[in-house]
Amino acid sequence: LSSNWRRPRHIGRVRRLERDIASELEEPFEFDARTQVVDEDGPSDRLRCIKDYLRQTCEERQSLRGHVAPLRVVILDDFFITGMDGWRCSPRHAVYTVRDAEAYVASDLPVSVKVIYCYDEWAPEQGFPMKVGRGLSEQDTEEAISFVRAGSGGQATLADLQECAERAKRDCDIPLAAGCCRLGEVGAVEKFCSPRTLAAAGVCWGFVLTIAPWLRAWAPR
């Protein structure tokens, strides 16, 4: 969890969100970890905080397991309901587009990143410009699911799926994500990434879902 809801004062809201997600999954769910609680003055701070969390996670995985394949990361955020107008995340990274944000988070880390930017703005002919955190659209959900499913390489065999399940049980013993379902069985990813579950998760912006590398062997039913 990487939004303001990670702060202790929002624990009641987080518990309700976890119950909503568990209801959609039809199994227990809780956020395994949270990004560091620090002062954030804007979207660039949010991105830096997420990147710092991922760096620490990658280092822990490396020290425990040696060489590991890259994580796949989905970030759902409206970034303080702020347009991408050149957020300065580092001397080398200014964010003008979603691709810029993805490139910054992934830079120098063994991860691939998909940012679902839950934000819109428009300027009516008369009146003030509007900026909103709009929630998850159908297109957002489809993009997130496609990203999670990517890399399956086509239809997997039964042996592939059995191996995938065994690797899942082994690799998910430690928290891999700021918001991560314990994916211990084949099909759990498809279940978690259903439109209704993603919508429930999207109630709280700043949700980070990292997917273990064994997903590359997983094929959707």
Side-chain angles (χ1 to χ4, degrees):
L1 193 64
S2 59
S3 75
N4 285 329
W5 283 22
R6 72 191 188 278
R7 302 180 188 279
R9 67 178 180 271
H10 294 303
I11 187 64
R13 292 177 172 179
V14 172
R15 292 291 178 259
R16 288 194 295 273
L17 176 62
E18 289 172 334
R19 288 195 296 270
D20 288 344
I21 295 175
S23 176
E24 296 301 329
L25 291 172
E26 298 180 346
E27 61 184 54
F29 173 88
E30 64 180 20
F31 291 100
D32 287 309
R34 287 155 173 76
T35 55
Q36 185 178 5
V37 177
V38 297
D39 292 334
E40 295 173 315
D41 293 328
S44 57
D45 290 333
R46 173 64 52 78
L47 280 172
R48 280 193 291 267
C49 197
I50 291 171
K51 184 177 179 67
D52 288 344
Y53 175 85
L54 291 173
R55 179 182 290 108
Q56 179 181 355
T57 298
C58 291
E59 290 173 352
E60 290 174 355
R61 295 178 72 238
Q62 180 73 26
S63 65
L64 288 172
R65 300 185 180 89
H67 177 73
V68 291
L71 292 173
R72 301 181 65 77
V73 181
V74 177
I75 301 173
L76 311 180
D77 211 310
D78 62 12
F79 296 104
F80 299 92
I81 314 180
T82 303
M84 292 181 173
D85 56 2
W87 309 337
R88 183 59 63 176
C89 297
S90 77
R92 296 187 298 114
H93 293 93
V95 174
Y96 291 94
T97 67
V98 167
R99 288 185 179 272
D100 291 339
E102 293 167 346
Y104 166 70
V105 174
S107 61
D108 305 318
L109 293 177
V111 300
S112 61
V113 178
K114 178 67 177 178
V115 172
I116 303 298
Y117 184 35
C118 306
Y119 167 86
D120 248 328
E121 64 180 15
W122 65 93
E125 292 183 3
Q126 295 181 343
F128 296 100
M130 299 293 295
K131 300 181 179 183
V132 297
R134 57 163 168 73
L136 285 166
S137 67
E138 183 176 349
Q139 180 179 344
D140 291 334
T141 304
E142 291 175 354
E143 289 181 4
I145 292 172
S146 295
F147 176 82
V148 169
R149 289 175 170 173
S152 64
Q155 187 66 37
T157 65
L158 178 59
D160 292 332
L161 298 180
Q162 290 172 336
E163 179 184 0
C164 170
E166 290 304 314
R167 292 176 67 186
K169 292 175 184 177
R170 181 182 70 240
D171 289 349
C172 285
D173 285 342
I174 64 171
L176 293 178
C180 168
C181 179
R182 294 205 179 276
L183 304 172
E185 60 182 26
V186 175
V189 177
E190 183 178 69
K191 195 174 184 181
F192 183 84
C193 289
S194 70
R196 291 185 64 185
T197 305
L198 278 175
V203 168
C204 178
W205 309 131
F207 183 85
V208 178
L209 170 67
T210 65
I211 303 299
W214 45 264
L215 267 180
R216 295 184 179 279
W218 181 81
R221 290 193 293 267

